[in-house]
Amino acid sequence: MMRKWTLAGIALLMVAISSCDSETTLIGNSLTDNVDRFTNVTDTFDVSTRSIKVDSVLSTSDYCYMGRIKDPETGSYITSDYSTQFNLLENEAANIFPSKSAIISLDENNEPIADSCFVRVMINAFQGDSLTAMKLRVRELAAPIKDKKQYYTSYDPEKEGLLRTDAGAINQTKLYSISDLTLSDSVRYVNSTKGYYWYINIPLNKQYTDKNGTTYKNYGTYLMRKFYEEPTSFKNFNRFVRNICPGLYFQTIDGQDLMCEIAYTQLIVYFRRSYEEKTIVSSKSFNSTQEVLQTTHITNDKKSIEKLIEADTCTYLKTPAGIYTEVTIPVDDIKRGHENDTLTSARISFQRMRAKNDLSDIVLEEPTTLLLVERDSVYKFFENNGVPDNVHSYLASFNTLQKTYTFNNISNLVTRMYQKRNTSENWNKAVLIPVQVSSSSTSTVSGVSNEMNINSVRLVGGTANRHTPVRISVIYNRNQ
């Protein structure tokens, strides 16, 4: 009897072991078979490119530009002018100037006056000859430029009739050069958190007549008197711009071979006041900031870049407001036969041409950073203050060793194009655009604007490309 129970126990144990072996095998297959069924497939495809002309770009940048410089590739001149407003902080409005009784600078009627007034243009960087003589004109806006509108570099406040033209308005000229060797370094430069700024001082000490016909000793006196007469007009920025100072326009009227990148502009009023029973010299400055409206107006010979557009053995990237490169992605070829596969990688690189070209022996500096964005989204990207999202738009920096701009993975863009194929004429097209990039303290991209410096680079490509084709390398994840 005991033998029977023993045999029965052994039989049950063998069944259990067999059952466990069968279930374990199934579990293993469930964990690994699906993974094993995926394989990576690689391929490359030719990409077509061409140059496209850009008449103007959105005039939003951390900097404004002023000057005139010759483009060695076209032989034409590029001229930049700019307009700016001046900021006024609401929490400082009540103390812009000291109490009227503390002012020592008085006229014959014991009314406050400014001893002097200047506009100071702070220069962050420049292109060209630092010793060249330039001439600018400062003019006064008759009314504020409306801030509920997007302004492009083709916008001209003078043609729009926004400048005061009567005899009493600000209309001051100034000769200048970046390196004024007659001045000491301490006078020529102004300290900043990033080093030193070059600057241009423009006096506004002539008699000034406001829009109501009242004449003042100078523009600084006008600001002081208005502060005491109409303190509510200094309550905030909007009232200040609307009622007191709509802004100034800086025009290049003579000289060439210098283009200045303007960090900011100051309007400075100097006066004497009493302080602790002493007479001291005080000043008040109104500064342009990124919060106020600034526009850069660029003029160049649009016809002169046509010969670059027509050069089909390469493509161009040229700033400011010059040439972009259009990229046609072979989306149909990439997806053909891979409709059910996952596109995991799509890498594309753009090679700079050899330094010398047939049009000029002078090589301009290439753009540092390029934006790749869908053709139909170019204007929307900048007008909406876009930042690259690695779906619709991407950034690439110039590799100084390999002389390339490489976008390591635009697979999301290719997939998106395929999903909206044939919905517009440009459904499979993107554009390369030179840009300036702003970053936060954490190195995160916080802003992207059009490159406004004079840059140019020729890229391998074009409809009659004689070199290795521009190619996109892709990797698929195939489910077997």
Side-chain angles (χ1 to χ4, degrees):
M1 187 71 177
M2 180 62 68
R3 178 180 173 81
K4 290 181 178 179
W5 282 111
T6 301
L7 290 174
I10 293 172
L12 288 174
L13 179 61
M14 293 298 295
V15 170
I17 293 173
S18 175
S19 298
C20 288
D21 285 346
S22 176
E23 289 175 1
T24 301
T25 302
L26 290 175
I27 290 175
N29 284 339
S30 68
L31 290 175
T32 62
D33 279 4
N34 287 338
V35 175
D36 291 340
R37 288 178 188 143
F38 284 109
T39 58
N40 288 332
V41 179
T42 63
D43 209 341
T44 60
F45 301 88
D46 290 353
V47 174
S48 61
T49 60
R50 70 185 183 104
S51 299
I52 56 175
K53 185 170 67 173
V54 184
D55 288 328
S56 61
V57 297
L58 189 65
S59 181
T60 55
S61 173
D62 289 344
Y63 304 103
C64 295
Y65 293 83
M66 179 180 68
R68 181 182 293 122
I69 197 165
K70 186 177 183 179
D71 182 347
E73 287 182 324
T74 64
S76 64
Y77 284 92
I78 301 170
T79 304
S80 292
D81 311 309
Y82 78 99
S83 71
T84 186
Q85 298 171 340
F86 297 94
N87 205 358
L88 189 153
L89 299 178
E90 191 164 350
N91 60 354
E92 298 177 356
N95 299 311
I96 292 175
F97 294 107
S99 64
K100 190 174 180 180
S101 60
I103 300 296
I104 301 298
S105 301
L106 303 171
D107 65 8
E108 61 275 9
N109 298 316
N110 288 324
E111 290 295 327
I113 60 172
D115 294 322
S116 61
C117 181
F118 293 86
V119 175
R120 180 172 285 178
V121 178
M122 314 301 291
I123 300 171
N124 182 64
F126 66 90
Q127 291 177 285
D129 187 354
S130 65
L131 295 175
T132 192
M134 301 292 292
K135 189 175 184 180
L136 65 82
R137 173 182 288 135
V138 183
R139 301 179 68 183
E140 179 185 1
L141 297 178
I145 296 176
K146 295 180 181 179
D147 60 357
K148 295 182 179 180
K149 181 180 175 182
Q150 301 285 359
Y151 292 95
Y152 283 73
T153 52
S154 57
Y155 181 78
D156 185 350
E158 184 172 24
K159 288 185 177 180
E160 296 294 324
L162 280 180
L163 303 184
R164 281 188 63 184
T165 57
D166 53 291
I170 294 174
N171 189 351
Q172 181 69 45
T173 61
K174 172 72 175 182
L175 284 168
Y176 70 94
S177 64
I178 295 297
S179 296
D180 186 348
L181 300 181
T182 65
L183 302 176
S184 66
D185 286 351
S186 61
V187 175
R188 277 191 286 152
Y189 308 121
V190 172
N191 203 328
S192 74
T193 56
K194 297 180 180 180
Y196 288 90
Y197 289 127
W198 298 273
Y199 69 91
I200 307 165
N201 257 354
I202 307 150
L204 299 181
N205 293 322
K206 295 180 180 179
Q207 277 194 344
Y208 172 76
T209 302
D210 68 12
K211 59 185 178 182
N212 298 319
T214 304
T215 299
Y216 303 86
K217 176 188 175 183
N218 53 34
Y219 192 71
T221 300
Y222 159 74
L223 292 174
M224 293 180 70
R225 295 274 182 89
K226 284 296 182 181
F227 174 76
Y228 297 121
E229 294 169 7
E230 303 176 22
T232 57
S233 293
F234 289 76
K235 185 176 181 179
N236 55 46
F237 164 74
N238 289 326
R239 292 188 181 185
F240 179 69
V241 171
R242 187 170 61 248
N243 300 325
I244 304 299
C245 179
L248 298 177
Y249 187 50
F250 297 80
Q251 296 173 288
T252 299
I253 59 174
D254 200 4
Q256 61 191 43
D257 297 330
L258 180 67
M259 185 66 68
C260 298
E261 184 178 77
I262 311 303
Y264 63 97
T265 309
Q266 285 184 314
L267 179 58
I268 311 172
V269 181
Y270 292 95
F271 54 90
R272 286 163 293 147
R273 59 165 296 185
S274 61
Y275 180 75
E276 295 182 352
E277 299 183 352
K278 295 180 181 179
T279 298
I280 63 171
V281 176
S282 292
S283 65
K284 170 60 186 177
S285 63
F286 302 85
N287 298 330
S288 67
T289 65
Q290 294 182 18
E291 289 74 29
V292 304
L293 180 62
Q294 300 182 91
T295 67
T296 295
H297 172 228
I298 297 174
T299 56
N300 55 13
D301 183 2
K302 300 297 190 298
K303 293 181 180 179
S304 68
I305 66 172
E306 288 293 345
K307 59 184 178 182
L308 304 185
I309 298 290
E310 294 168 0
D312 57 2
T313 57
C314 66
T315 67
Y316 278 86
L317 294 171
K318 195 169 187 63
T319 63
I323 305 175
Y324 294 162
T325 289
E326 180 187 83
V327 181
T328 301
I329 308 293
V331 177
D332 284 334
D333 293 339
I334 293 173
K335 294 297 291 185
R336 187 175 294 116
H338 297 278
E339 292 82 358
N340 297 322
D341 297 339
T342 301
L343 184 65
T344 59
S345 177
R347 185 178 186 271
I348 187 169
S349 185
F350 299 92
Q351 181 78 42
R352 193 193 76 174
M353 294 279 282
R354 59 187 175 86
K356 186 179 179 181
N357 69 63
D358 298 333
L359 297 171
S360 174
D361 290 331
I362 300 174
V363 181
L364 290 172
E365 184 178 353
E366 59 275 314
T368 301
T369 307
L370 298 187
L371 172 74
L372 180 70
V373 62
E374 293 172 303
R375 175 70 189 266
D376 288 338
S377 301
V378 170
Y379 292 104
K380 182 172 66 175
F381 178 88
F382 291 104
E383 291 180 354
N384 294 340
N385 299 316
V387 293
D389 59 4
N390 293 328
V391 177
H392 310 81
S393 52
Y394 301 77
L395 287 178
S397 297
F398 183 65
N399 186 313
T400 57
L401 295 177
Q402 299 179 1
K403 310 301 181 186
T404 57
Y405 300 93
T406 300
F407 297 87
N408 286 306
N409 192 358
I410 61 168
S411 58
N412 289 332
L413 176 63
V414 177
T415 300
R416 173 178 166 77
M417 286 179 169
Y418 183 70
Q419 292 169 347
K420 66 185 187 80
R421 60 192 179 279
N422 301 319
T423 56
S424 75
E425 181 182 357
N426 300 316
W427 68 273
N428 61 343
K429 294 178 173 60
V431 181
L432 290 173
I433 303 173
V435 292
Q436 295 176 337
V437 177
S438 301
S439 301
S440 66
S441 57
T442 59
S443 298
T444 302
V445 174
S446 58
V448 175
S449 59
N450 286 281
E451 176 62 74
M452 304 287 275
N453 284 300
I454 298 172
N455 293 150
S456 183
V457 65
R458 295 186 310 147
L459 300 176
V460 170
T463 56
N465 179 22
R466 302 169 185 167
H467 304 275
T468 303
V470 180
R471 291 193 175 107
I472 184 169
S473 302
V474 301
I475 300 176
Y476 309 94
N477 219 348
R478 174 174 292 175
N479 191 352
Q480 297 290 348

